[in-house]
Amino acid sequence: MPHVTTPDGTQLYYEEVGTGSPVVFVHEYAGDYRTWEPQLRYFSRSYRCVTYSQRGYPPSDVPTDPARYGQDIARDDVIALTDALKIDKAHIVGHSMGASTALHVGIHYPDRCLSVTAASCGYGSSPDPAFVEQGRAASRETAKMFETVDFPTAAARYADGATRQTHKNKDPRGFAEFARMLADHSPVGHALTMRELQAKRPMLWEMKPQLEKFTPPLLIIVGDEDDWCLDPSIFLKRTVPTAGLLVLPRAGHTITSEEPAAFNAALAELFPAAESGRWMSHKPAA
C-alpha cells in the first residue's frame, strides 16, 4: 500500500490516478480517501488525481499523541504529500474539515496552488464569540462521544446528522455507502481529530485579515440546506478577492457525493479558468 512519510514520521496512505495537471483532494471529518471516488472517476481522464487519508484515518497512521494533531499539522501534511509526489503546484480541493485545510494551504503556500476549492466550509464560524464557543463545545462533546460510546453506534449517530438528511433521503444507497465507510474509521483518530483540530482551529471571521490577502483562485461550493456552512460561505465570497460562490439548491453537507454531477461540473470550469489566468476576481476594476 502506498504511503508517504510526514516530517514527524506519520505515514499517510494515498492513491493517485490519471495524468495531467495535479489535483489533490482533502476529505472531510466523516470521510477518507474513498470519499472522492465520484471525482476521481471523472477527473482522472484529464488530470493527475491524488486522494489520501489524513492522519488519524486508516490506512494512514493513527497517532495517539494529541500534539500530533491540529490545523497547522493538517495543512503541512498536504505539502508533505505533494513534496513526496514531486508536485510543485496543484488544484487543492477540500470538503468541510478538508476545506478549512485547503484554505490554510492557500494562505500559507499560495505558490503551491493552481486553485483552491472550499466546499461545505466554515462549520462553527460566526462573528458572534458566543456562537463560536457553542460550536467548539459541540466539537468537544462529539470527541467525548467517540471515546465513550461504542464506535458503530457513535459513527451511525454522527452520519445521521441534520445537514446530511437531504443526502439520506434523495440517495439512500449513496448515504448508506457513506455511513459504511465512516464506520471503518478509528475512534481514537476521530476523537483526537475533533478535539485537537476541529475544536481548536481558527474560525473564518478570525482569519479575515489573511483571507483579504488570499491570492489563489478560490471556488466556494455549499448546499443551501447546509445551515452551519451557508453564512460562512457567503462571508468567504465577500472577503476573498479571488472568490466565486456556487450554492447548490436542496443540497446538504455531503455535496461531493450527494450532488457529484453539479460538483464536478463546477470544478471542470474552475480548473482550466485558473490555469489560463481567466478566473476573475469578484471586484474587477471599473
Side-chain angles (χ1 to χ4, degrees), residues 117-141:
T117 298
S120 306
C121 187
Y123 169 86
S125 288
S126 169
D128 181 355
F131 185 90
V132 171
E133 180 49 40
Q134 178 186 353
R136 294 192 193 280
S139 293
R140 292 190 292 268
E141 284 299 311

